[in-house]
Amino acid sequence: MSISPTGEGLRRALDGPFHDLKQRWRDEVSADEVVRDTALSMEEARDWTLDRVKKLAQRDFVTAGFPSAQGGTGTSAESVANFEMMAMGDLSLTIKSGVQHGLFGGAITNLGTQYHHETFLPGAINVDLPGCFAMTELGHGSDVQSIETSITWDPDTQEYVVHSPSPTATKAYIGNAARDGRMAAVFGQLWVDDEHQGVHVALVPIRDEDGNPMPGVTIGDHGHKGGLLGVDNGTISFEHVRVPRSMLLDRYGGVGEDGAYHSPIESKNARFFTMLGTLVRGRICVGGGAASGARKALAIAVHHGLNRRQFRRAGLGEEIPLFDYLSHQRRLLPHVARAYAYGFAQNELAQQLQRVLDQEDPGSPASRELETRAAGMKALLTRWALDAIQEAREACGGAGYMSDNGITMTRQDADIFATFEGDNTVLLQLVAKALLLEYKSTWGDMDLRGTASKTAKLIGGAFMERTTARSAIDRLVAVANRKPESERLRARGWHVQMFEFRESHIVESLAARMRAASKQPEDQRDAAINACQMHMIEAAKAHVDRIVLEAFIEGIEETADDYIKAILVKVCDLYALWTIEQNRAWYLEHEAFDPKKSKAITATVDALCGELRPRAKELAEGLGVPESWQKHPTEAVPPIIA
Amino acid sequence: MSISPTGEGLRRALDGPFHDLKQRWRDEVSADEVVRDTALSMEEARDWTLDRVKKLAQRDFVTAGFPSAQGGTGTSAESVANFEMMAMGDLSLTIKSGVQHGLFGGAITNLGTQYHHETFLPGAINVDLPGCFAMTELGHGSDVQSIETSITWDPDTQEYVVHSPSPTATKAYIGNAARDGRMAAVFGQLWVDDEHQGVHVALVPIRDEDGNPMPGVTIGDHGHKGGLLGVDNGTISFEHVRVPRSMLLDRYGGVGEDGAYHSPIESKNARFFTMLGTLVRGRICVGGGAASGARKALAIAVHHGLNRRQFRRAGLGEEIPLFDYLSHQRRLLPHVARAYAYGFAQNELAQQLQRVLDQEDPGSPASRELETRAAGMKALLTRWALDAIQEAREACGGAGYMSDNGITMTRQDADIFATFEGDNTVLLQLVAKALLLEYKSTWGDMDLRGTASKTAKLIGGAFMERTTARSAIDRLVAVANRKPESERLRARGWHVQMFEFRESHIVESLAARMRAASKQPEDQRDAAINACQMHMIEAAKAHVDRIVLEAFIEGIEETADDYIKAILVKVCDLYALWTIEQNRAWYLEHEAFDPKKSKAITATVDALCGELRPRAKELAEGLGVPESWQKHPTEAVPPIIA
Ligand SMILES: Cc1cc2nc3c(=O)[nH]c(=O)nc-3n(C[C@H](O)[C@H](O)[C@H](O)COP(=O)(O)OP(=O)(O)OC[C@H]3O[C@@H](n4cnc5c(N)ncnc54)[C@H](O)[C@@H]3O)c2cc1C
Ligand SMILES: Cc1cc2nc3c(=O)[nH]c(=O)nc-3n(C[C@H](O)[C@H](O)[C@H](O)COP(=O)(O)OP(=O)(O)OC[C@H]3O[C@@H](n4cnc5c(N)ncnc54)[C@H](O)[C@@H]3O)c2cc1C
């Protein structure tokens, strides 16, 4: 099962700085360790998943993200890369591990102190202490700030009392809760001496050694879900459950030995969103994981499209490979190009995460930029992944529907990626808000009234913070401007100009509308702001599109091999022009180009599909899905009944 | 669980001619009979499904489509309505019943003679004789004409010999095969005296009384699929299996008592596609069934959007119902509008089916028109259904992912509707071909070379066969043309003009390209035709869009109640403008309107969402999903673990 040298080269380029790590997965981890049998029942899937999470945790590189004191390397960027590789195997496994190591372990790491690290991380890492991340409640998901669970300081006993004051305060959809979790990182409103200090997190044991719920803890099982059958999501509620003072993850605030509340961050609001911000890695992982699912589905569909034939040319000759149909190329190759684009952008994002973490300055402008990018990327990558996996399924015809091939399970598991770690519709609005306020305001707060009144006069794309590729990009733009009109469509600098124009125009016109909305009479203001909602979402998309293109350009710059580079240039052409094509109504409305050019763009996308068709196999290999983890339709002929 | 009078009125309008029948389902059929528990394992789901198919078959109205001699009413239109209602309960049940009654029973009804009706239909109807429709093979799905299974006449024994000459000749994905089927309607190439007569269908027993495969028959189980777990899809292959002469469904051709082959249709090609054409009802059902799934998901999501609140307005007041967000209205209401549009069009299609069947003239221009419309509707309805169900899932957030609510299972089951009963990409090309040839050529044949060379000079939309609403439409167009520019966007006549312009321009320009392609040198001709493929697909879509709009207009005309009519007018505005908005790039490219108007269309879609928001509940009720068959997210709080 070796791949072509070109496939190998593309894989290396797309892996980028994570090549060695990702290659270890390919070389060392067998399908048996990470690919789930699609026919397992829910109970079997839960067993398999827990077992495999534990086994994988024994490999040092899998838990590399933890602090060095706990045997990790502290490199969050590598955690992201690990998550992406695991996601090419199975998404239940990835999410179960993500809950255990990323969320539960991550909360302890980022919100706890040395005491918490030493006491709880070893068990979190080796899964002796299965844990939950209990933030969402039945009543509040997107609006976490309004959760009802209370954490009340009792000065008499020096304990925190964790309580669910109403049915809607029940923690909901919590991974690891229904079956395996022993402890939960519980988000609740902290009250000290009748003063509200905002959302904090307490570690609460939820099951005893025998696996029974602890006194005062009620646990429910969500049972069967639309996917992720291996993850035991459940509900948890608390009836005045007491934990000692040391159980509050108090890095950003808690009651000191003096019995008084202390926090390095004054504002409740900023404190809460700073805490959430330290958990941004989870969001980055989810975007990357969905993209991995899409890569796998695309790899399978490309393989099938090259091998499957259907219909004969006018009564004669051989049957036609599906990939010879323009429609088939059109269905798959643009998605493949986007997989590359998002892959390069995701590498860049993971590195940015590492840089920000290394600065150790949460709440800094750099961290707000990171959170903006992480949110926008998560929303776009997960949306795209669902569409791409679906297209891959349909492109495989009936064979694609047989669970054996893994496409449908990937689609089902990835479905919820659009919702958890931040619902996409909400995230895109937060991205727009950050752009409007030029990253000056707290990240994560959904106060759109405040946003409207504070929206700056944005001129000349000042809000367009740059990715590192700026110099290369200026050069490309200059080159494009010297090209004759007829060659512009394939000039990268022209793509950049189009992406930038779309972003800056949408954001600037949004700013104007939002400022006007804020000046409306009181009773019309909210309606005026609400009317900007779709505009906000468009602004965020345009922003991320531009960032992705820049990352692709940088990824190409960093590719040493000229042959590989030349292929990537074409793939980038396809990504850029397809994106422009998809938005051509907007461009025509804003007279960025005329109808003739618009039609020429469509023709060029067609042409690029034809040009890349001979490289389809290698492009699919380059997506980096280990061969032995893929199952192809033709291999999935069913067992005979005796 | 009563619904509002407005909801009731909308339901009556949308049910149209099938209101009484559909109301019987709502009044008489309980959830227990048709709603599957989402947590059933595959085996349990198969048991449940078979049991429920049998039980439902005891109700006279469920099997109404069969000939009157067998106790039915012979009304295929009502079969379609039944299928649509069942699909609001469960899609496995619907497909299992569709295989048994629609496909197996339908093949016997339409391709067999009185002997077959009398001998096999009773068992097909009451499910004493579970049957398969064995057309697809591992090697050939979309290209049925190339299947390999042979049916060879043996004059010595007066038998047909059914044989699978290669592994790829194995019948694949066949419903009812893996577990329950006793007999199969097997499609194969008929050979009589070494002469090939094209594809015919023979009834072949595949299991004995004890459920074991018959001698020479090999059966496989596809096992777990991406959905439809209650349907036992499997493979079947034949090793020289012999059946008596009477087992060929020989209405359109077979060996007579004289030992010679006879057929009322000369050309093998025409014969085959005539036979397939008689089975068009299945395709109409599948489109309608997918739409029912979408209606159910939308009804649930609208309900949730009206009840669920998230985020508070700038620190004060009550939390905001999701449906107050423009983005939420935008996500759901246009889909609701489209559900109405497709519902009216589907009613029209079912009636057209009945008219064509009543004519008893297969292969007539009227039947070609029907097949074109059925294919185009199937492709558009199934595509839309998948998108709408997905949107509904995401609009319900995490709750939407819990299987209890039924949205995810509906999505998984409906997935394959894009593929079976004709893959959408293939069907749309067939629609375009029919338009290009003005319905003059055999329906169903994918010969694009032939099409290119025969493409007529299409001028002035001569190919636009009319739905019955023509006079109403002429009136609307005249009215629109008298309106001032500012009121045009909401003038139905303007919508009609826009839809017609798009269809006629795309089809005419396609015709020009295809004719040009046919004049290319031999070695470039296929490439030139292939380059038209996306254009063909667009032509088909534009065609169906226009037909749907006309059906909506007619549906409104036929609504007696003025209050209901006024609501439907707005819903139709939303359907029409949203469709124009989605295609505005094309309109701008063809200068049908200018950028200013294009932006005004988007603003009007926003405005219509706001205007319909107060009627969201009633609109959802009007979709006609029995209340007791729906489960809503808030009801789905999970059971507590002891
Ligand atoms: C399988 C699964 C695993 C999970 N694991 C965990 C876990 O381990 N720990 C944990 O804490 N949580 C977990 N969650 C919860 C998850 O994070 C939430 O479901 C998610 O945050 C969305 O919240 P919600 O479900 O309450 O949806 P809501 O917030 O109610 O949103 C519902 C819909 O309303 C829309 N909406 C909401 N607000 C707005 C607005 N302002 N403007 C426009 N539209 C809006 C959204 O777009 C969405 O479509 C999990 C969920 C699932 C399904
Ligand atoms: C759950 C299920 C139930 C089924 N039940 C039955 C049954 O009971 N009886 C039965 O006979 N069959 C049944 N089928 C088979 C079904 O009808 C076929 O899967 C379907 O016809 C598609 O054929 P295929 O799978 O071979 O796909 P293919 O024909 O191989 O098509 C694969 C892909 O290639 C594309 N493609 C093919 N030709 C072209 C072209 N000319 N131009 C552009 N693109 C093209 C298609 O768009 C598709 O995306 C069932 C299938 C499933 C999955």
Side-chain angles (χ1 to χ4, degrees):
Chain A
M1 291 219 260
S2 66
I3 63 171
S4 66
T6 302
E8 183 63 44
L10 287 164
R11 188 171 276 193
R12 189 175 289 271
L14 188 56
D15 285 346
F18 305 106
H19 181 66
D20 291 344
L21 177 60
K22 292 193 166 180
Q23 200 53 40
R24 283 193 70 179
W25 281 86
R26 297 185 192 111
D27 293 339
E28 299 176 26
V29 181
S30 70
D32 177 66
E33 289 171 83
V34 289
V35 181
R36 179 162 45 119
D37 176 351
T38 49
L40 296 185
S41 70
M42 187 179 81
E43 277 314 315
E44 291 164 341
R46 287 179 174 186
D47 286 339
W48 180 88
T49 305
L50 179 65
D51 176 70
R52 292 305 192 279
V53 168
K54 285 185 175 168
K55 287 205 179 116
L56 275 180
Q58 289 164 20
R59 291 183 188 269
D60 58 343
F61 60 88
V62 172
T63 51
F66 285 100
S68 46
Q70 276 72 42
T73 59
T75 46
S76 275
E78 296 199 344
S79 301
V80 176
N82 281 323
F83 193 98
E84 290 171 3
M85 285 310 298
M86 214 185 291
M88 291 185 177
D90 177 66
L91 293 175
S92 272
L93 173 63
T94 312
I95 292 304
K96 180 92 172 175
S97 151
V99 167
Q100 176 68 24
H101 295 121
L103 296 179
F104 177 62
I108 297 171
T109 307
N110 294 300
L111 305 178
T113 59
Q114 197 184 341
Y115 163 76
H116 303 106
H117 294 186
E118 287 170 0
T119 315
F120 302 109
L121 279 186
I125 295 173
N126 70 13
V127 204
D128 279 350
L129 180 67
C132 304
F133 180 85
M135 184 160 78
T136 305
E137 300 176 353
L138 281 175
H140 295 92
S142 299
D143 182 11
V144 193
Q145 218 174 354
S146 299
I147 55 171
E148 298 170 73
T149 301
S150 57
I151 304 177
T152 310
W153 173 246
D154 181 348
D156 295 339
T157 62
Q158 300 272 308
E159 289 169 322
Y160 291 104
V161 183
V162 179
H163 184 62
S164 315
S166 74
T168 48
T170 305
K171 295 292 174 185
Y173 317 121
I174 308 301
N176 248 346
R179 219 189 63 159
D180 299 323
R182 289 286 160 100
M183 184 174 276
V186 179
F187 285 68
Q189 309 288 351
L190 180 65
W191 291 87
V192 182
D193 296 335
D194 288 337
E195 203 176 326
H196 178 226
Q197 299 294 354
V199 176
H200 285 64
V201 184
L203 293 176
V204 184
I206 58 166
R207 277 196 181 82
D208 62 21
E209 289 289 304
D210 301 326
N212 298 316
M214 295 291 282
V217 175
T218 306
I219 300 178
D221 188 343
H222 278 292
H224 201 277
K225 303 188 301 292
L228 296 181
L229 292 192
V231 184
D232 53 325
N233 294 95
T235 56
I236 317 176
S237 65
F238 304 94
E239 182 68 33
H240 298 292
V241 174
R242 292 176 167 268
V243 293
R245 199 174 63 87
S246 60
M247 296 297 267
L248 197 80
L249 296 175
D250 56 357
R251 177 159 168 195
Y252 294 105
V255 176
E257 296 199 3
D258 59 357
Y261 180 81
H262 302 279
S263 166
I265 305 171
E266 187 103 19
S267 135
K268 276 192 290 198
N269 207 32
R271 198 186 292 152
F272 172 57
F273 287 113
T274 300
M275 288 167 67
L276 281 194
T278 65
L279 305 175
V280 64
R281 187 182 65 192
R283 199 162 274 168
I284 298 173
C285 284
V286 161
S292 291
R295 289 194 198 182
K296 182 171 170 177
L298 288 171
I300 294 169
V302 168
H303 183 278
H304 189 67
L306 291 167
N307 288 285
R308 172 81 174 171
R309 293 163 181 268
Q310 202 71 189
F311 293 106
R312 230 169 275 277
R313 239 178 275 281
L316 8 112
E318 284 203 304
E319 290 178 285
I320 305 170
L322 298 184
F323 236 113
D324 281 359
Y325 294 111
L326 173 62
S327 63
H328 216 73
Q329 296 165 11
R330 261 281 188 171
R331 290 165 80 176
L332 294 175
L333 288 175
H335 280 300
V336 170
R338 187 154 289 175
Y340 276 86
Y342 287 163
F344 284 114
Q346 180 73 8
N347 288 348
E348 169 56 32
L349 184 62
Q351 290 172 286
Q352 188 181 354
L353 166 70
Q354 195 58 52
R355 285 195 300 273
V356 167
L357 290 179
D358 290 345
Q359 275 175 17
E360 296 195 36
D361 181 13
S364 68
S367 72
R368 280 199 287 265
E369 250 187 61
L370 171 70
E371 287 174 66
T372 306
R373 205 166 280 189
M377 286 277 292
K378 187 270 177 189
L380 264 68
L381 266 67
T382 55
R383 166 83 281 126
W384 162 74
L386 295 182
D387 295 340
I389 300 169
Q390 183 63 25
E391 195 69 70
R393 202 299 285 152
E394 294 178 27
C396 292
Y401 198 56
M402 302 302 111
S403 298
D404 273 349
N405 313 314
I407 296 183
T408 51
M409 189 164 82
T410 305
R411 178 64 181 67
Q412 293 168 12
D413 291 347
D415 181 349
I416 195 62
F417 283 50
T419 300
F420 65 20
E421 277 292 343
D423 168 88
N424 288 351
T425 303
V426 173
L427 288 183
L428 290 172
Q429 293 179 66
L430 290 173
V431 170
K433 180 174 160 264
L435 299 176
L436 290 176
L437 302 182
E438 298 179 295
Y439 306 100
K440 279 189 202 112
S441 141
T442 311
W443 213 93
D445 186 333
M446 272 286 278
D447 172 15
L448 297 190
R449 264 198 171 215
T451 303
S453 67
K454 283 184 287 178
T455 293
K457 258 210 172 86
L458 303 170
I459 305 163
F463 54 88
M464 281 206 215
E465 96 295 4
R466 285 284 154 218
T467 60
T468 43
R470 186 65 261 181
S471 63
I473 284 167
D474 287 340
R475 190 159 34 78
L476 290 166
V477 170
V479 171
N481 288 339
R482 285 194 301 271
K483 291 213 171 167
E485 184 63 26
S486 64
E487 288 172 32
R488 286 266 177 93
L489 285 191
R490 297 206 184 198
R492 186 76 65 242
W494 185 75
H495 304 154
V496 170
Q497 284 174 302
M498 286 296 110
F499 278 57
E500 288 187 349
F501 171 61
R502 185 168 140 249
E503 177 185 4
S504 62
H505 192 290
I506 295 182
V507 177
E508 282 163 17
S509 58
L510 172 64
R513 272 181 83 184
M514 285 291 270
R515 276 184 295 121
S518 77
K519 289 180 190 123
Q520 293 283 313
E522 172 64 26
D523 62 335
Q524 289 160 41
R525 204 173 308 159
D526 286 328
I529 292 170
N530 195 28
C532 296
Q533 216 178 12
M534 301 311 291
H535 201 151
M536 290 185 82
I537 291 170
E538 287 308 311
K541 289 182 184 165
H543 173 71
V544 181
D545 283 347
R546 195 257 307 163
I547 281 177
V548 170
L549 179 61
E550 290 185 0
F552 204 153
I553 292 170
E554 179 158 341
I556 294 174
E557 290 279 314
E558 282 167 6
T559 303
D561 183 322
D562 281 340
Y563 182 73
I564 299 300
K565 211 168 185 161
I567 297 177
L568 288 175
V569 164
K570 235 168 220 180
V571 175
C572 188
D573 284 348
L574 181 53
Y575 163 71
L577 283 176
W578 189 42
T579 306
I580 294 172
E581 187 193 29
Q582 290 179 311
N583 291 285
R584 70 196 198 282
W586 186 90
Y587 287 110
L588 288 162
E589 282 173 352
H590 296 84
E591 292 169 2
F593 44 69
D594 62 14
K596 197 166 142 245
K597 191 151 195 164
S598 183
K599 293 182 197 165
I601 289 167
T602 294
T604 310
V605 172
D606 286 354
L608 280 164
C609 286
E611 291 167 31
L612 285 170
R613 188 246 175 273
R615 288 280 153 273
K617 180 169 172 292
E618 291 83 353
L619 286 169
E621 290 170 344
L623 295 176
V625 186
E627 275 49 52
S628 63
W629 301 7
Q630 298 174 41
K631 287 195 204 138
H632 295 126
T634 40
E635 296 160 14
V637 176
I640 301 302
I641 295 169
Chain B
M1 293 219 260
S2 67
I3 63 171
S4 65
T6 302
E8 183 64 44
L10 287 164
R11 191 172 273 193
R12 189 176 290 271
L14 188 57
D15 284 347
F18 306 106
H19 180 66
D20 292 344
L21 176 60
K22 291 194 167 181
Q23 200 54 40
R24 282 191 72 178
W25 280 86
R26 296 186 192 111
D27 294 339
E28 299 176 26
V29 181
S30 70
D32 178 65
E33 290 172 84
V34 289
V35 182
R36 178 164 44 120
D37 176 351
T38 48
L40 297 184
S41 70
M42 186 178 84
E43 277 313 316
E44 292 163 343
R46 286 178 174 185
D47 286 341
W48 180 90
T49 306
L50 180 64
D51 177 71
R52 293 305 192 278
V53 167
K54 285 186 175 166
K55 288 205 178 114
L56 275 180
Q58 289 165 20
R59 292 182 187 270
D60 58 342
F61 60 87
V62 173
T63 51
F66 285 101
S68 46
Q70 276 71 42
T73 59
T75 46
S76 276
E78 297 200 342
S79 302
V80 176
N82 281 323
F83 192 97
E84 290 172 4
M85 284 311 296
M86 212 185 293
M88 292 185 178
D90 178 65
L91 294 175
S92 272
L93 173 63
T94 312
I95 293 304
K96 181 91 173 176
S97 149
V99 166
Q100 175 69 23
H101 295 122
L103 297 178
F104 177 62
I108 296 170
T109 307
N110 295 300
L111 305 179
T113 60
Q114 197 183 342
Y115 162 76
H116 301 107
H117 293 187
E118 288 169 359
T119 316
F120 301 110
L121 279 185
I125 295 174
N126 69 13
V127 203
D128 279 350
L129 181 66
C132 304
F133 180 85
M135 185 160 78
T136 306
E137 299 176 354
L138 281 175
H140 295 92
S142 299
D143 182 12
V144 192
Q145 216 174 356
S146 299
I147 55 171
E148 298 169 75
T149 300
S150 57
I151 303 177
T152 310
W153 173 247
D154 180 349
D156 295 339
T157 63
Q158 299 272 307
E159 289 168 322
Y160 291 104
V161 183
V162 179
H163 184 61
S164 314
S166 74
T168 47
T170 304
K171 295 293 175 186
Y173 317 121
I174 308 302
N176 247 347
R179 218 190 63 160
D180 300 323
R182 288 289 159 98
M183 183 173 277
V186 179
F187 286 68
Q189 308 288 350
L190 180 65
W191 292 87
V192 181
D193 297 334
D194 289 334
E195 202 175 327
H196 177 226
Q197 298 293 355
V199 175
H200 286 63
V201 183
L203 292 176
V204 184
I206 58 167
R207 278 194 180 82
D208 62 24
E209 289 290 304
D210 301 326
N212 297 317
M214 296 289 282
V217 176
T218 306
I219 301 179
D221 188 344
H222 278 292
H224 201 277
K225 303 187 299 290
L228 297 180
L229 291 192
V231 184
D232 54 323
N233 294 94
T235 56
I236 317 176
S237 64
F238 304 94
E239 182 66 35
H240 298 291
V241 173
R242 292 175 166 270
V243 292
R245 197 173 64 86
S246 60
M247 295 297 265
L248 197 80
L249 296 175
D250 56 357
R251 179 159 166 196
Y252 295 105
V255 177
E257 297 197 7
D258 59 358
Y261 179 82
H262 302 279
S263 166
I265 306 170
E266 186 104 20
S267 135
K268 276 193 290 196
N269 207 31
R271 197 186 294 151
F272 172 57
F273 287 111
T274 300
M275 288 167 66
L276 280 194
T278 65
L279 305 174
V280 66
R281 187 182 64 193
R283 198 162 275 170
I284 297 174
C285 284
V286 160
S292 291
R295 288 194 198 183
K296 181 171 171 178
L298 288 171
I300 294 170
V302 168
H303 183 279
H304 189 67
L306 291 168
N307 288 285
R308 173 80 174 171
R309 293 163 182 267
Q310 202 71 188
F311 293 106
R312 228 168 274 278
R313 238 178 275 281
L316 5 111
E318 284 201 304
E319 290 178 286
I320 306 170
L322 296 184
F323 235 113
D324 282 359
Y325 293 111
L326 172 63
S327 62
H328 216 74
Q329 296 165 11
R330 260 283 187 169
R331 288 165 79 176
L332 294 176
L333 287 174
H335 281 300
V336 170
R338 186 154 290 175
Y340 276 85
Y342 287 162
F344 285 114
Q346 181 73 8
N347 288 348
E348 170 56 33
L349 184 63
Q351 290 171 287
Q352 187 180 359
L353 166 70
Q354 194 59 51
R355 287 193 301 272
V356 167
L357 290 178
D358 290 345
Q359 277 175 13
E360 296 193 37
D361 182 11
S364 68
S367 72
R368 279 199 288 264
E369 249 187 61
L370 171 69
E371 288 174 67
T372 306
R373 204 166 282 191
M377 286 278 291
K378 187 270 176 188
L380 264 68
L381 267 67
T382 54
R383 164 85 281 123
W384 161 74
L386 295 183
D387 294 341
I389 301 169
Q390 183 64 26
E391 195 68 67
R393 203 296 288 152
E394 294 179 26
C396 292
Y401 198 57
M402 301 302 109
S403 299
D404 274 349
N405 313 314
I407 297 183
T408 50
M409 189 164 82
T410 305
R411 178 65 181 68
Q412 292 167 14
D413 290 348
D415 180 351
I416 195 64
F417 283 50
T419 301
F420 65 19
E421 277 292 345
D423 168 86
N424 287 353
T425 304
V426 173
L427 288 183
L428 291 172
Q429 293 179 66
L430 290 173
V431 170
K433 176 173 163 268
L435 299 176
L436 290 175
L437 302 181
E438 299 179 291
Y439 306 99
K440 281 190 200 109
S441 140
T442 312
W443 212 94
D445 186 332
M446 272 287 276
D447 172 14
L448 297 189
R449 266 200 171 213
T451 303
S453 67
K454 283 183 287 177
T455 292
K457 254 210 175 84
L458 303 170
I459 305 162
F463 53 90
M464 283 206 214
E465 95 298 1
R466 284 287 153 214
T467 60
T468 44
R470 188 65 259 183
S471 63
I473 283 167
D474 286 341
R475 193 161 30 78
L476 291 166
V477 170
V479 172
N481 288 338
R482 286 195 302 271
K483 290 214 171 166
E485 182 63 24
S486 64
E487 289 170 35
R488 287 268 175 92
L489 285 191
R490 296 206 185 198
R492 187 76 64 240
W494 185 75
H495 304 155
V496 169
Q497 285 173 301
M498 285 297 109
F499 278 57
E500 288 187 347
F501 172 60
R502 183 167 143 251
E503 177 183 2
S504 63
H505 192 290
I506 295 182
V507 177
E508 283 164 17
S509 58
L510 172 64
R513 271 181 84 184
M514 286 291 270
R515 275 183 296 123
S518 78
K519 289 179 191 125
Q520 293 284 313
E522 171 65 26
D523 61 336
Q524 289 159 39
R525 203 173 306 160
D526 286 326
I529 293 170
N530 195 28
C532 296
Q533 216 178 9
M534 299 312 290
H535 201 150
M536 291 185 82
I537 290 170
E538 287 309 310
K541 289 182 185 166
H543 173 71
V544 181
D545 283 345
R546 195 256 308 161
I547 281 175
V548 169
L549 179 61
E550 291 185 0
F552 203 152
I553 292 170
E554 180 158 340
I556 293 175
E557 290 279 314
E558 284 168 4
T559 302
D561 183 322
D562 281 338
Y563 182 73
I564 298 300
K565 210 169 187 162
I567 296 177
L568 289 176
V569 164
K570 234 168 224 183
V571 175
C572 189
D573 284 347
L574 181 53
Y575 164 70
L577 283 176
W578 188 43
T579 305
I580 294 173
E581 186 193 29
Q582 289 179 312
N583 291 286
R584 71 195 198 284
W586 186 89
Y587 286 111
L588 289 163
E589 282 173 351
H590 296 83
E591 292 170 0
F593 44 69
D594 62 15
K596 200 167 139 244
K597 193 151 195 163
S598 183
K599 292 180 197 167
I601 290 167
T602 294
T604 310
V605 172
D606 286 354
L608 281 164
C609 286
E611 292 167 31
L612 286 170
R613 187 246 177 271
R615 289 279 152 274
K617 178 170 173 290
E618 292 83 352
L619 286 169
E621 289 169 347
L623 295 176
V625 187
E627 274 51 52
S628 63
W629 300 7
Q630 299 174 41
K631 284 193 209 143
H632 296 128
T634 40
E635 296 160 16
V637 177
I640 300 301
I641 295 170

